[in-house]
Amino acid sequence: MRVHVVSDVHGNSRDLAAAGEGADALVCLGDLVLFLDYADHSRGIFPDLFGAANAGALVELRTARRFEEARALGRRLWGELDAAGASRESVIEGAVRRQYAELFAAFPTPTYATYGNVDIPRLWPEYARPGTTVLDGQRVEIGGRVFGFVGGGLTSPMRTPYEISDEEYAAKIEAVGEVDVLCTHIPPDVPELCYDTVARRFERGSAALLHAIRTTRPRYSLFGHVHQPLARRVRIEGTECVNVGHFNATGTPYVLQW
């Protein structure tokens, strides 16, 4: 059995269309939408609306953890858009819909997917075609192994679309229970898995996920979210914990075989 796993697709539909080649199934751990590319400030919804210079300024402020100033910049730019008669919500949703139409069309059959923190879950049922199974706090058997899926991220200063409370996230982890492969968007709360060496900040990892790994001992814990982690894999209580990679940048899926 061969399963390919991707995360943090962020608009890379070209490589996504080839990600399932040679695999029995594709697993996607979310963040399909590209709002702002930290490496290329000309790519994404934000620069499409406000230009690469403003995108670069926003990235610089966020990287320096000057979140209040970043939000002030955002409010000013969105205020100008509102003044021109465009609704922020409708503009973003329209752009996300265009990306989703292209990305979901690129998924092979079968695909098993969960949400990332920048995704908008309520839109997924409109774009998920037959052959794509969306799971969140749920389990599925793939090739004789049980995979559990928990999507989204935890609340953070970034205020991305699908952030939930620690309590809600823990409840989904508990609902999944014991599995062979635990698939999440965010990592367990382990410093070397949560620190992004380029953004120079800790992303939020889950303590509930770490507890589940230690108590239920799945064979694998697979996740993404941190684009350039200090460590891409660690072993915890017999579980191989693997950041499957920043697919937007690499275009290469992680391969799981048994």
Side-chain angles (χ1 to χ4, degrees):
M1 191 72 185
R2 182 182 175 103
V3 173
H4 289 180
V5 189
V6 300
S7 185
D8 299 271
V9 176
H10 293 301
N12 188 353
S13 58
R14 181 193 63 188
D15 290 323
L16 185 61
E21 291 180 1
D24 297 292
L26 178 73
V27 167
C28 179
L29 304 182
D31 270 11
L32 298 183
V33 172
L34 179 61
F35 187 76
L36 177 60
D37 191 325
Y38 278 54
D40 182 350
H41 303 160
S42 68
R43 298 180 63 239
I45 295 172
F46 191 90
D48 285 349
L49 292 171
F50 304 118
N54 282 318
L58 185 65
V59 168
E60 184 177 343
L61 290 170
R62 285 181 172 179
T63 301
R65 303 187 66 80
R66 293 156 60 186
F67 295 117
E68 285 302 324
E69 292 174 70
R71 282 192 281 271
L73 173 62
R75 283 193 297 270
R76 178 176 65 80
L77 293 172
W78 286 109
E80 292 172 0
L81 195 69
D82 290 337
S87 160
R88 172 177 179 169
E89 290 74 17
S90 63
V91 168
I92 291 178
E93 182 168 317
V96 170
R97 284 181 176 277
R98 288 189 290 274
Q99 290 190 16
Y100 277 165
E102 187 173 345
L103 290 159
F104 276 91
F107 277 143
T109 298
T111 290
Y112 302 90
T114 196
Y115 317 111
N117 60 292
V118 303
D119 287 311
I120 303 178
R122 65 179 175 81
L123 298 182
W124 280 36
E126 297 182 40
Y127 296 95
R129 303 177 304 170
T132 296
T133 303
V134 179
L135 303 115
D136 189 16
Q138 297 162 290
R139 303 147 53 102
V140 67
E141 185 177 312
I142 305 174
R145 288 189 175 178
V146 178
F147 285 63
F149 291 79
V150 174
L154 297 173
T155 52
S156 77
M158 305 297 282
R159 300 182 182 176
T160 50
Y162 190 42
E163 294 182 352
I164 60 177
S165 69
D166 290 64
E167 293 76 17
E168 185 178 351
Y169 196 88
K172 291 196 295 183
I173 291 287
E174 185 175 0
V176 165
E178 294 188 16
V179 295
D180 298 304
V181 185
L182 187 48
C183 299
T184 58
H185 178 67
I186 63 174
D189 189 15
V190 175
E192 55 265 43
L193 297 175
C194 294
Y195 187 73
D196 191 306
T197 60
V198 174
R200 301 196 302 275
R201 66 168 180 262
F202 285 98
E203 301 288 355
R204 287 212 62 195
S206 169
L209 173 57
L210 179 59
H211 177 72
I213 290 168
R214 286 174 168 161
T215 55
T216 66
R217 299 188 177 187
R219 293 171 185 255
Y220 293 93
S221 166
L222 305 180
F223 48 87
H225 187 56
V226 183
H227 294 175
Q228 297 89 198
L230 188 61
R232 293 206 172 272
R233 59 198 305 154
V234 301
R235 196 162 182 84
I236 300 173
E237 303 290 343
T239 298
E240 194 72 15
C241 301
V242 182
N243 184 318
V244 301
H246 180 201
F247 186 77
N248 170 268
T250 68
T252 302
Y254 175 76
V255 177
L256 193 63
Q257 288 185 282
W258 65 93

